[in-house]
Amino acid sequence: MAQLDTLDLIVLIALLVGTAAYFTKGTYWGIPKDPYAASFANANGAKAGKTRNILEKMEESGKNAVVFYGSQTGTAEDYASRIAKEGSSRFGLKTMVADLEDYDYENLDAFPQDKLAVFVLATYGEGEPTDNAVDFYEFIMGDDVSFSGGGAAEDRPLANLKYIAFGLGNNTYEHYQALVRRVDAALTKLGAERISAAGEGDDGAGTMEEDFLAWKEPMWTELAAKMNLEEREAVYEPTFGVTEREDLSADTNDVYLGEPNKNHLEGKSKGPYNSHNPYIAPIVESREVFTVKDRNCLHMEIDVSGSNLTYQTGDHIAVWPTNAGKEVDRFLNVLGLADRRHMVISVKGLDSTARVPFPTPTTYDAAIRYHMEICGPVSRQFVSALAAFAPDAASKDEMARLGEDKDYFKEKVSNQYFNIAQVLERVSEAKWANIPFSIMIESIQKLQPRYYSISSSSLVQKSKISITAVVEEIRVPGSKPNVVKGVTTNYLLALKQMQHGDVDPDPHGLTYAITGPRNKYDGCHVPVHVRHSNFKLPSDPSKPIIMVGPGSGVAPFRGFVQERAAQSKAGEKVGKTILFYGCRKPSEDFLYRDEWEMYKQALGESFELFTAFSRETDTKVYVQQRLSEQAALVDELLQKKANFYVCGDASNMAREVSIVLGQIIASRRGVSPEKGEEIVKSMRSSNQYQEDVWS
């Protein structure tokens, strides 16, 4: 056989690589949308034999309705569970709840005509799917979508699919309800039949819950008529079985005391670290950046070296909180569980499709402290469900009234920002010992990580992540004023106090289990993971940028300016860098005041800072006014294709900045206001205009 020369080898290798690429479709080197996203299976070990075929799963579990959810913060998952629960208890549907990322969708064309699919979809960011809905969204929206039966889109391959859709969104965002509207249109185009109008809940208007309640009743009426369902009296049927374990104690090694998974329980925490598997990161620095005593803003440095966690400037860090001891005690007391708080319990799904939201065996205390959103808002539907377990007739009547009368509920509960334990203790001083713990697990959302814009540059400090967080507090006036404390920011404040020598930190009267389960967070550690963001600097540092970030909205821009200062010091050409920053008073809450001076020295004339102080004088000045004053400079930079960034409050500031920008463009370029708005929308579409906002 003749010897292969170098050219022959190169050609042969190229052919082999090309063949592998064709047959694997890039499986081994494809770049995912989110470089930090990974499945729960990666953190805990894949479950053998778990099917990704939804039809197979429904068939083997005897289900005739599946409720899919696309959720970023857990709210859509909660609504999906409520739909499934009500469909089962009121109409006898055999329901299951399904995470969109757990299944494949090529066989939806074989979905049986006598079964139902429900899609509960949150719109995330700028009209994007939630992390767990990305694959489904890209599949169903694809130009060349194809199904197992081989039919093309024009063949209406989903003609057998009957579905219902409910969307969660925020009207302060540009792409309000984009996901549910796009998916609804795509399903209809593919031949699927929607039963009842798609529902839309608006978090921006604060009407999410009432929007859902108003939508679901006519939906159930239409569904019952379409599928010949008979309504029956709804009776509570537990999804989970809760068993107290006298054979185990909280000291037993295999009892979870707040650990998120088995690796953490066994002290063998390992990556990849993600939304199912946090890294227990040391806090290497913490300091107060406000200069007033009655308000707090924290700057923290989180060390992620050795974790393989990486970030890019503009990404988000997720902090996994723990509930305050005061609220844990309140919850246990009102349910009559205080004496049994350390009792070990096992929780299991009474249905093969039910997913227990935390690892077990655990204790009542650990489940409540680390896994349940006990300080979250309360729904009328939840209050109605608890009426049956009231300790006396008067309490039952009051709970029923709260559940039925939305105005009364708003006055007594919503406007007071009460959590569920506060509601129960105000309705009756007696213990609510008849409430099954299972209904609390089913009805209270899982305690979710909170996301913060990273305020450092990955170029400057790749192994340390900066957080800038205002400690949250809502004061509700009244004869018995209620003060609502931010769950995560007060937890971080406690950690900061401990790091600065406070042996028993109790910010605002709150205490936390800050050393974590079995003292695994001792030494000032916090559980975190990183989430990818599309909020990014231009790849070319010579391109100009305009940033608008009042208050803690300046966080990502500290990272942006920090990076550009480092690039300038390294000899790179850096484009004009403009920051509009606002706060109350320069003497109270001017974040990173000294640092901006330092960056100015590094960047020279490339950097300009425009400030707006809302309480320095009798006339309130906001960033949008400063933006308008600099109309000539702003438009000049936009004409040079400057990127425009906004970070902060979505409901007021961000919306007004967008309006002002349209006005600037219209006046400077001599076009109509409508044309100015159109240009701003075009900037958004091309990613020249980027937002990292919240409400």
Side-chain angles (χ1 to χ4, degrees):
M1 182 176 174
Q3 284 251 286
L4 292 173
D5 61 21
T6 302
L7 181 60
D8 291 331
L9 283 170
I10 291 171
V11 171
L12 181 58
I13 290 169
L15 286 170
L16 288 170
V17 171
T19 303
Y22 177 80
F23 285 107
T24 65
K25 300 293 190 290
T27 297
Y28 299 109
W29 48 75
I31 300 173
K33 289 288 182 185
D34 183 345
Y36 314 117
S39 69
F40 183 65
N42 288 340
N44 298 281
K47 293 182 179 179
K50 183 178 179 182
T51 180
R52 291 188 59 82
N53 184 325
I54 186 61
L55 303 186
E56 186 178 284
K57 182 67 176 178
M58 293 178 73
E59 185 66 29
E60 69 183 24
S61 57
K63 304 301 181 185
N64 60 4
V66 56
V67 187
F68 293 109
Y69 65 86
S71 186
Q72 196 70 33
T73 64
T75 307
E77 181 179 0
D78 177 56
Y79 280 112
S81 297
R82 288 166 62 180
I83 290 170
K85 191 80 176 170
E86 190 167 353
S88 173
S89 63
R90 279 181 64 185
F91 297 96
L93 285 169
K94 304 299 181 183
T95 58
M96 64 174 284
V97 177
D99 188 330
L100 276 168
E101 71 179 354
D102 286 347
Y103 295 95
D104 299 321
Y105 301 96
E106 289 84 355
N107 64 347
L108 282 181
D109 59 335
F111 203 89
Q113 283 185 309
D114 60 346
K115 289 182 169 56
L116 175 72
V118 182
F119 297 90
V120 183
L121 304 172
T123 297
Y124 167 62
E126 293 304 297
E128 303 154 24
T130 56
D131 290 345
N132 74 317
V134 170
D135 290 343
F136 167 74
Y137 178 77
E138 292 184 347
F139 171 79
I140 210 73
M141 298 299 296
D143 293 333
D144 56 349
V145 59
S146 62
F147 295 92
S148 56
E154 55 270 21
D155 299 322
R156 299 175 63 79
L158 300 186
N160 285 345
L161 178 66
K162 293 182 179 66
Y163 75 97
I164 287 167
F166 183 78
L168 294 80
N170 186 316
N171 71 15
T172 62
Y173 286 70
E174 175 74 10
H175 301 283
Y176 175 60
Q177 300 289 2
L179 199 74
V180 73
R181 292 174 183 178
R182 291 170 188 163
V183 168
D184 182 33
L187 291 172
T188 302
K189 182 180 177 182
L190 292 166
E193 179 187 358
R194 188 188 67 236
I195 298 173
S196 188
E200 295 185 352
D202 186 1
D203 189 45
T207 58
M208 178 76 75
E209 177 66 17
E210 291 303 327
D211 292 339
F212 173 75
L213 295 178
W215 165 78
K216 75 179 182 68
E217 286 309 317
M219 178 275 290
W220 287 127
T221 300
E222 292 183 54
L223 179 65
K226 185 70 178 179
M227 298 189 70
N228 296 318
L229 303 176
E230 289 188 14
E231 185 171 0
R232 59 189 187 185
E233 183 179 355
V235 178
Y236 173 64
E237 298 172 352
T239 301
F240 301 112
V242 180
T243 306
E244 294 188 348
R245 300 287 301 274
E246 299 285 355
D247 58 317
L248 296 174
S249 77
D251 298 326
T252 308
N253 289 336
D254 57 356
V255 172
Y256 291 84
L257 299 182
E259 296 90 350
N261 56 50
K262 191 172 183 179
N263 287 334
H264 283 267
L265 176 68
E266 296 175 346
K268 302 173 184 176
S269 170
K270 60 183 179 180
Y273 298 107
N274 50 49
S275 58
H276 300 295
N277 184 39
Y279 173 61
I280 312 303
I283 300 172
V284 294
E285 179 188 340
S286 59
R287 68 179 191 270
E288 178 65 57
V289 285
F290 280 174
T291 54
V292 288
K293 292 183 178 179
D294 60 338
R295 296 166 62 217
N296 299 94
C297 182
L298 305 174
H299 175 90
M300 288 185 157
E301 298 285 342
I302 311 296
D303 187 356
V304 294
S305 57
S307 67
N308 285 327
L309 274 177
T310 60
Y311 77 100
Q312 297 170 1
T313 308
D315 280 347
H316 299 138
I317 185 169
V319 175
W320 293 47
T322 174
N323 285 309
K326 176 181 178 181
E327 295 301 334
V328 174
D329 292 346
R330 187 200 307 273
F331 192 91
L332 287 162
N333 284 332
V334 79
L335 294 184
L337 292 173
D339 294 341
R340 305 207 309 281
R341 67 191 308 151
H342 299 302
M343 168 66 71
V344 177
I345 55 173
S346 288
V347 182
K348 70 173 185 176
L350 299 179
D351 180 281
S352 62
T353 65
R355 179 186 293 182
V356 179
F358 47 78
T360 74
T362 186
T363 65
Y364 287 117
D365 185 285
I368 295 162
R369 188 178 302 275
Y370 292 100
H371 298 295
M372 296 170 67
E373 195 78 71
I374 59 172
C375 294
V378 181
S379 73
R380 281 200 292 129
Q381 194 172 11
F382 185 23
V383 170
S384 286
L386 294 182
F389 307 104
D392 51 61
S395 302
K396 183 176 182 178
D397 291 343
E398 177 67 3
M399 293 290 278
R401 183 183 175 190
L402 286 169
E404 293 167 3
D405 187 335
K406 71 176 184 180
D407 293 329
Y408 187 64
F409 181 84
K410 184 177 181 181
E411 175 194 347
K412 296 294 185 180
V413 178
S414 300
N415 288 351
Q416 304 302 316
Y417 293 89
F418 286 150
N419 60 46
I420 188 60
Q422 289 174 311
V423 173
L424 296 177
E425 67 182 7
R426 278 161 175 77
V427 170
S428 174
E429 294 180 359
K431 303 299 183 189
W432 292 70
N434 294 329
I435 296 178
F437 196 64
S438 56
I439 199 172
M440 293 308 214
I441 299 172
E442 295 158 20
S443 304
I444 296 175
Q445 286 189 40
K446 184 178 178 181
L447 186 60
Q448 295 291 327
R450 270 52 167 185
Y451 293 92
Y452 299 90
S453 301
I454 292 174
S455 56
S456 55
S457 161
S458 56
L459 177 68
V460 176
Q461 49 181 74
K462 67 177 183 179
S463 297
K464 275 199 308 183
I465 293 175
S466 299
I467 295 178
T468 307
V470 174
V471 179
E472 297 174 9
E473 177 182 284
I474 299 173
R475 291 187 173 273
V476 184
S479 57
K480 293 183 178 180
N482 183 35
V483 182
V484 183
K485 305 292 186 180
V487 172
T488 307
T489 52
N490 281 279
Y491 169 52
L492 292 175
L493 181 55
L495 286 165
K496 178 253 181 186
Q497 291 177 349
M498 186 183 77
Q499 190 168 54
H500 286 257
D502 193 331
V503 178
D504 190 19
D506 60 341
H508 304 122
L510 303 177
T511 58
Y512 295 85
I514 52 179
T515 60
R518 294 183 169 90
N519 293 320
K520 289 175 181 175
Y521 305 169
D522 200 12
C524 211
H525 287 69
V526 64
V528 300
H529 71 270
V530 173
R531 184 176 72 186
H532 175 63
S533 165
N534 293 322
F535 195 73
K536 291 288 178 282
L537 279 166
S539 56
D540 178 3
S542 67
K543 190 174 181 179
I545 62 171
I546 303 166
M547 301 165 286
V548 183
S552 60
V554 81
F557 302 138
R558 177 182 181 265
F560 282 18
V561 177
Q562 188 182 69
E563 182 151 318
R564 289 205 151 192
Q567 289 169 328
S568 180
K569 283 183 178 179
E572 293 187 60
K573 182 183 178 182
V574 173
K576 196 74 173 176
T577 303
I578 306 297
L579 172 61
F580 292 90
Y581 171 70
C583 63
R584 293 183 182 181
K585 293 182 179 180
S587 60
E588 293 184 358
D589 53 0
F590 194 154
L591 299 183
Y592 305 115
R593 186 173 188 172
D594 295 337
E595 288 190 28
W596 303 126
E597 293 295 329
M598 181 180 66
Y599 297 139
K600 176 69 176 174
Q601 292 176 12
L603 288 164
E605 293 183 357
S606 295
F607 179 58
E608 285 192 69
L609 173 65
F610 298 99
T611 55
F613 303 117
S614 62
R615 300 190 186 179
E616 179 70 359
T617 65
D618 292 338
T619 303
K620 292 187 176 183
V621 181
Y622 297 105
V623 286
Q624 50 268 38
Q625 293 163 258
R626 294 291 186 234
L627 187 69
S628 186
E629 291 168 4
Q630 298 299 322
L633 175 60
V634 169
D635 187 55
E636 177 190 343
L637 294 177
L638 291 179
Q639 299 273 25
K640 295 177 181 178
K641 302 300 180 185
N643 274 13
F644 190 87
Y645 302 92
V646 183
C647 182
D649 169 48
S651 57
N652 295 306
M653 182 275 300
R655 178 174 284 183
E656 290 180 22
V657 165
S658 180
I659 292 170
V660 168
L661 188 63
Q663 293 169 347
I664 288 172
I665 291 170
S667 63
R668 298 297 304 179
R669 302 182 191 180
V671 298
S672 68
E674 292 76 18
K675 181 63 176 176
E677 291 178 13
E678 188 180 315
I679 292 171
V680 171
K681 286 184 178 180
S682 177
M683 288 171 59
R684 290 178 184 274
S685 298
S686 65
N687 224 29
Q688 184 184 357
Y689 188 126
Q690 298 181 35
E691 287 183 319
D692 183 359
V693 294
W694 57 86
S695 60

